[in-house]
DNA sequence: GACCAAAAATTTGCATTCATTTCTGCGTGA
DNA sequence: TCACGCAGAAATGAATGCAAATTTTTGGTC
């Protein structure tokens, strides 16, 4: 092990820093990281494919050093795998991994719902209520895109209302990992699930209105579980095709 | 934005890889990362202090390139802050950040409890039961260290029983961030809290025995909330000292 | 024609080097 | 005495160079 003596060589000053937002302040490196992350999340690279350093360097107009730094971060975020001496590969989600990630998403949403009940303002609730009604209207007219957009917005607002920065960051991370599996499509072919989801959203709004944290927490987790079930069905169906 | 055409230049092969464990396979870089993380988590650097690249390079016997890569990852994990052109600093937790992190820990434990109820084996439950009784014995004899060790072990076993890799990783991450604040001491000066915590653990074991997922989930979240309250009291008391 | 071995070419990992920015120390002037 | 400003020094951010490993290509054999 390393010697465990505290490093008194470093200055123990800096009592209160400017507290730059987030983990990495708005910098050049941060920009590249965001770009590369989007590049991967948006599916520009095939799952399981090699991530070619040289090509990406040319594409982003930088040298290998900052790119490799960004790759290490993306690996720690779970977006890519790093194989020793064999480069990076886009992480491929097997069924088990997808199930696990969905469950974590459910847990995070459950937490967000509970915290939101404690902290949400009346104005923020009204906004969610408005989104809910708009989503319901989309549901009635079988407007899948409108429904999905509203659904996404509602969940995001709940996380936002939780007012917890680490939670929001972690939530975004897992959402990004699952972005690649388009789990929100084909509801129009699954009327039962769509109606069920809509009913669950009624419960969500109701619990949020009553600021019933634990209850909302439970509803949200089950909501994600059901969403996962629907996605899993589609997934296996797609695999057979 | 970048051109959005999928990169068909990369090979779309690699249907199923050997699935190296975790985000980063056991490599030299992974080793350094773990070492550096421990170095920070164990408090060898004062909170808010600069992280001196040069010194750490000498200490670990490497050049700046791999060290800087590791620093970027640590920043993404929330252990340090990266200030553009001004180096890395050990992240300092203010009261609000600590509260936020505790809540996320609570949410993760709540999730772990729920999943554990679904998946735990009888053997794993028996082990937790054993740990619980050992912890209770420690409580009776006012053995703080024994109590704390057992407590930690129980929570870890629950996360383990949840059998969810991303959850375990995220849990470890947040636990590491909070490691620096020693929130588990001084229970002997707070008999009420200690007894309360012990009662909560009785509930936890009971719910787990009945495989009552949602119930256990709720108990665990409240358990963490109460732990946070106790820690917060100590924190402010220490701040006044 | 398929299979295997060896060498060339590419790629990765890390060290080193260079440009730019920030920090430090000291002097000047109000 | 204090504020301001200006070199010099140190540190950061990024590019390049080099050794080791891997992948691909080539040549040979069965």
């Amino acid at each position: 092990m390393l010697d465990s003596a505290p490093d008194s060589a470093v200055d123990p000053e800096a009592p209160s820093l400017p507290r730059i937002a987030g983990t990495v302040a708005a910098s050049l490196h941060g920009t590249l990281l965001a770009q590369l992350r989007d590049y991967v999340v948006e599916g520009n690279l095939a799952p399981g494919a090699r991530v070619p350093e040289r090509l990406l360097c040319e594409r982003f107009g930088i040298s290998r050093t900052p790119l490799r730094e960004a790759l290490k971060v993306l690996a720690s975020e779970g977006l890519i795998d790093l194989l020793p001496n064999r480069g990076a590969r886009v992480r491929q989600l097997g069924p088990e991994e997808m199930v696990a990630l969905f469950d974590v998403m459910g847990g995070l949403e459950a937490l967000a719902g509970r915290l939101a009940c404690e902290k949400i303002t009346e104005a923020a609730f009204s906004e969610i209520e408005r989104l809910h009604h708009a989503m319901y209207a989309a549901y009635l007219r079988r407007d899948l895109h409108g429904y999905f957009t509203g659904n996404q917005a509602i969940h995001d607002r709940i996380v936002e209302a939780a007012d917890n920065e680490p939670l929001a960051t972690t939530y975004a991370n897992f959402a990004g990992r699952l972005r690649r599996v388009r789990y929100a499509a084909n509801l129009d072919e699954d009327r039962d699930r769509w109606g069920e989801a809509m009913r669950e959203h009624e419960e969500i709004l109701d619990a949020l209105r009553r600021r019933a944290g634990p209850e909302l927490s439970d509803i949200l987790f089950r909501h994600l579980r059901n969403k996962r079930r629907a996605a899993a069905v589609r997934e296996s169906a797609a695999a057979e095709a």
Side-chain angles (χ1 to χ4, degrees), chain A residues 20-185:
Chain A
I20 305 290
T23 50
V24 63
S27 68
L28 198 63
H29 163 259
T31 308
L32 169 67
L33 181 60
Q35 281 184 334
L36 192 57
R37 178 162 35 221
D38 290 347
Y39 189 78
V40 173
V41 166
E42 286 174 11
N44 297 87
L45 267 40
R50 273 181 86 133
V51 180
E53 290 186 3
R54 189 77 56 179
L55 285 187
L56 290 177
C57 285
E58 295 172 6
R59 178 177 296 277
F60 292 107
I62 51 164
S63 84
R64 284 177 53 221
T65 306
L67 182 89
R68 285 171 56 74
E69 290 173 352
L71 285 179
K72 297 288 200 299
V73 174
L74 259 45
S76 91
E77 291 177 3
L79 281 168
I80 61 178
D81 286 316
L82 253 34
L83 286 68
N85 289 319
R86 299 174 66 196
R89 298 190 112 94
V90 178
R91 172 168 281 195
Q92 198 159 16
L93 295 184
E96 326 77 25
E97 282 116 328
M98 209 191 74
V99 166
L101 289 175
F102 256 104
D103 274 348
V104 177
M105 282 287 281
L108 294 176
E109 291 223 19
L111 171 62
R114 188 190 286 261
L115 296 180
C117 282
E118 298 175 357
K119 305 188 191 175
I120 194 168
T121 64
E122 200 53 48
F125 173 76
S126 298
E127 174 64 8
I128 290 179
E129 201 172 28
R130 194 187 63 73
L131 287 166
H132 177 88
H133 293 320
M135 183 179 73
Y136 187 56
Y139 166 71
L140 287 181
R141 81 179 96 93
R142 320 311 287 173
D143 171 9
L144 188 65
H145 179 70
Y147 172 84
F148 180 54
T149 305
N151 179 62
Q152 185 94 348
I154 288 172
H155 287 278
D156 287 347
R157 296 305 175 99
I158 291 176
V159 172
E160 191 182 335
D163 189 31
N164 184 310
E165 197 274 319
L167 169 59
T169 301
T170 307
Y171 182 82
N173 179 348
F174 280 91
R177 291 207 227 176
L178 281 171
R179 179 77 37 94
R180 313 184 97 267
V181 347
R182 303 219 181 296
Y183 54 82

Side-chain angles (χ1 to χ4, degrees), chain A residues 211-226:
Chain A
R211 306 293 195 272
E215 190 179 332
L216 176 57
S217 180
D218 199 59
I219 295 168
L220 278 169
F221 182 79
R222 285 188 282 107
H223 179 61
L224 264 283
R225 265 285 169 85
N226 292 334

